[in-house]
Amino acid sequence: MLEEIKYYRTYDPGQPIMFEGDEMQFLASVVTGSVKLSRTLPDGRKQMLGLLLPSDFIGRPGRKNVDYDVEAIQKVTLCCFRRKPFEAMIEKTPHIGQRLLVMSLDELEVAREWMMLLGRKTAREKISCLLSLIARRYASLHLKSIGGRQSFEMPISREAMGEYLGLTIETVSRQMTSLRKDGLIEIAGSRTITIPDLAALMAETGDYIEAPMMNETHSLTQHRV
């Protein structure tokens, strides 16, 4: 049924996908690239609300309007579903609706964790947390063990990292340099990050990390249909 109603769209870096307040014409799963969710305050300031990577889902059935701006960070390919046919399919296949409920609950948990990160953590802890989350996510996407050495292409710029974490770009750069000097990360070029020991980096996040977590291979948000 999904095959019958799906189609693909591609967006260039910086190209808007949806605008807050617009009618939601389609829902989509990220196939390649990365996407950011943001809102603009009345005075023009922007706050980044979320980072979506491959397998994450954009939009929610039953909502007529878009709740935030959606923009491509990298070149993005989306697998799209027209909203009304998708909603009709959910009525016929309850297990899809149940999966979407689980996704929404996962998103709520991530939002709660992010409130703690933005409100109580130091700049070093914030950067370490973001890098470790992305590393774990890419390991999951490529079916790799979370333990040991991890390498990935950073999906957002340092400016976007600051926007997401509530830090200045200067602070982001200082903390990245500090983590590199301490041997917790390696940087090649402008975006390639290598983490020699993920457990060591996660120890810098300020969270209590249980040993079994290092063997997990689940995603950051698990937004998969």
Side-chain angles (χ1 to χ4, degrees):
M1 294 175 69
L2 286 169
E3 287 289 330
E4 291 176 356
I5 65 173
K6 76 176 184 181
Y7 61 97
Y8 292 92
R9 284 186 174 177
T10 300
Y11 297 85
D12 292 324
Q15 185 176 356
I17 297 171
M18 300 178 183
F19 289 104
E20 180 181 359
D22 285 354
E23 182 177 355
M24 188 177 295
Q25 300 290 341
F26 64 91
L27 302 97
S29 179
V30 180
V31 179
T32 61
S34 58
V35 172
K36 74 173 181 178
L37 312 179
S38 63
R39 278 186 178 151
T40 302
L41 300 176
D43 62 5
R45 288 177 297 165
K46 283 190 174 184
Q47 176 61 52
M48 187 171 170
L49 304 175
L51 173 66
L52 304 185
L53 299 173
S55 82
D56 283 339
F57 203 71
I58 300 173
R60 288 290 179 267
R63 293 185 181 178
K64 185 177 180 181
N65 298 105
V66 182
D67 293 330
Y68 30 66
D69 294 331
V70 184
E71 180 183 321
I73 300 176
Q74 301 169 310
K75 190 175 183 65
V76 169
T77 298
L78 301 180
C79 180
C80 305
F81 310 94
R82 292 289 178 189
R83 180 171 61 86
K84 291 183 178 180
F86 190 84
E87 291 173 345
M89 185 196 67
I90 290 176
E91 294 181 2
K92 299 177 182 178
T93 53
H95 68 281
I96 296 293
Q98 292 169 1
R99 179 62 188 133
L100 289 170
L101 174 61
V102 171
M103 289 162 52
S104 296
L105 294 174
D106 287 345
E107 188 176 73
L108 178 60
E109 287 301 315
V110 171
R112 287 172 175 167
E113 291 177 10
W114 212 251
M115 287 175 63
M116 174 65 75
L117 186 152
L118 293 178
R120 296 298 179 188
K121 293 194 174 186
T122 66
R124 183 183 177 94
E125 289 171 342
K126 289 179 179 182
I127 296 294
S128 299
C129 185
L130 179 60
L131 292 175
S132 63
L133 285 172
I134 293 175
R136 288 161 56 195
R137 179 58 189 277
Y138 275 111
S140 173
L141 288 172
H142 295 93
L143 302 179
K144 295 180 178 180
S145 171
I146 288 179
R149 189 178 181 88
Q150 302 287 343
S151 293
F152 59 90
E153 195 77 9
M154 192 66 184
I156 55 177
S157 66
R158 294 190 179 187
E159 182 179 5
M161 289 172 66
E163 182 184 344
Y164 196 23
L165 298 171
L167 303 171
T168 65
I169 187 172
E170 292 81 10
T171 299
V172 172
S173 294
R174 283 197 299 270
Q175 295 302 324
M176 292 287 284
T177 299
S178 176
L179 291 171
R180 180 180 59 79
K181 288 181 177 179
D182 290 343
L184 294 169
I185 64 172
E186 299 170 3
I187 303 174
S190 59
R191 292 287 184 89
T192 302
I193 305 292
T194 297
I195 301 174
D197 184 346
L198 185 55
L201 181 64
M202 292 177 71
E204 298 293 320
T205 65
D207 294 323
Y208 173 70
I209 305 298
E210 295 182 0
M213 179 177 289
M214 299 312 299
N215 294 321
E216 293 176 355
T217 55
H218 61 272
S219 69
L220 170 60
T221 54
Q222 295 184 330
H223 290 176
R224 300 183 180 182
V225 174

